[in-house]
Amino acid sequence: MPLNEKIQSLRRERGLSQEELAITLGVSRQAVSKWELGDATPDTDKVIALANYFGVTTDYLLRDLAPETAPAQQRAPSAQKRFAPMLLCIGWCGSALGLCMLLFGQYFAANDWPRLIGLMLLVLFAILPLGSSLMLRQEDEQAGRAFLRQFWRVNIWLVTPVPLIWLGGSSILAHFISSGLAEHLWSALPEPLWALGRLAVFAALPIALYIAICLLVTFLLRKKSK
């Protein structure tokens, strides 16, 4: 049985989807799909990770050997690995809820309680996945690191707005242009250009900065997972 069929067979025995296996190994679902189709071969470190996760040897995966008859208890994935996808979703949903509360408190609430609760939720659901990653790393170093990278590839889009909300476009611009010069520019511009200028400062600049930071972090984390 070739390597691609072995990966697919082992995955199905565990009742895992390609997405769940990809999260465990810290790769994309497309990478797992290519492995199973035979269009690509996993790197050496991923072959080792596959062998550790499925409870087989690398010789079995790479050579035409009979599968090892390991006890079911030994081959069964740990609770941390089985619940890793669910923990990721809980962390993302908690951070999204925290961001919504923070935005509501910042722009609509009559007091600071929603903003404070939102900030606490964001901190809490950033710490909980860290604990889950540490528990996974005690069993499988690579799986723990992959879990944390997968979490922050999404969560960075939920936590980055926090400093940008508090700084605001005008505060960011104040570091580069004095208030007197900015006021002179506003008064000298025609009304349509003045409106576009305010839109660029208070909306476009923070949004562009937000997207740039998130894309950079996502790219770096994705590059490490390959």
Side-chain angles (χ1 to χ4, degrees):
M1 183 185 295
L3 174 60
N4 62 311
E5 293 182 9
K6 290 177 181 178
I7 295 174
Q8 185 180 69
S9 175
L10 290 168
R11 176 180 62 79
R12 289 178 174 175
E13 284 179 10
R14 292 288 179 86
L16 298 172
S17 66
Q18 290 183 343
E19 181 70 27
E20 289 170 333
L21 180 58
I23 290 173
T24 301
L25 298 176
V27 298
S28 64
R29 187 197 62 78
Q30 289 80 4
V32 174
S33 177
K34 287 181 179 180
W35 295 347
E36 294 186 354
L37 291 172
D39 294 338
T41 303
D43 296 333
T44 303
D45 59 330
K46 300 304 180 187
V47 172
I48 296 173
L50 283 165
N52 292 336
Y53 181 69
F54 289 119
V56 297
T57 64
T58 53
D59 278 346
Y60 165 69
L61 290 175
L62 298 174
R63 299 167 60 189
D64 191 13
L65 299 175
E68 299 177 344
T69 57
Q73 293 84 356
Q74 182 181 347
R75 298 190 57 175
S78 65
Q80 289 91 342
K81 287 185 177 180
R82 283 189 286 110
F83 291 114
M86 184 179 70
L87 292 173
L88 283 174
C89 292
I90 291 174
W92 293 332
C93 291
S95 294
L97 178 61
L99 179 61
C100 291
M101 291 290 293
L102 186 65
L103 291 171
F104 176 76
Q106 180 75 14
Y107 297 110
F108 302 105
N111 54 57
D112 290 334
W113 279 108
R115 185 166 56 179
L116 180 61
I117 293 173
L119 183 61
M120 291 173 63
L121 286 173
L122 285 168
V123 173
L124 174 64
F125 285 99
I127 294 174
L128 286 179
L130 179 60
S132 301
S133 173
L134 291 174
M135 293 176 64
L136 275 171
R137 288 175 67 174
Q138 291 178 355
E139 179 185 350
D140 187 337
E141 178 76 16
Q142 192 170 24
R145 293 179 181 274
F147 176 88
L148 204 57
R149 285 196 299 266
Q150 184 76 11
F151 174 75
W152 280 106
R153 278 167 58 183
V154 175
N155 205 57
I156 188 66
W157 294 87
L158 300 172
V159 299
T160 304
V162 177
L164 296 179
I165 289 171
W166 281 337
L167 283 174
S170 58
S171 298
I172 297 172
L173 192 67
H175 292 291
F176 304 98
I177 301 177
S178 65
S179 57
L181 178 59
E183 184 177 352
H184 177 72
L185 288 173
W186 297 143
S187 60
L189 289 173
E191 180 64 26
L193 293 180
W194 182 83
L196 289 174
R198 285 183 59 86
L199 180 63
V201 170
F202 292 104
L205 181 61
I207 291 174
L209 184 60
Y210 163 70
I211 293 175
I213 292 172
C214 293
L215 286 177
L216 176 62
V217 173
T218 303
F219 171 77
L220 292 176
L221 292 174
R222 189 176 184 85
K223 187 176 180 181
K224 283 187 176 182
S225 67
K226 292 182 178 179

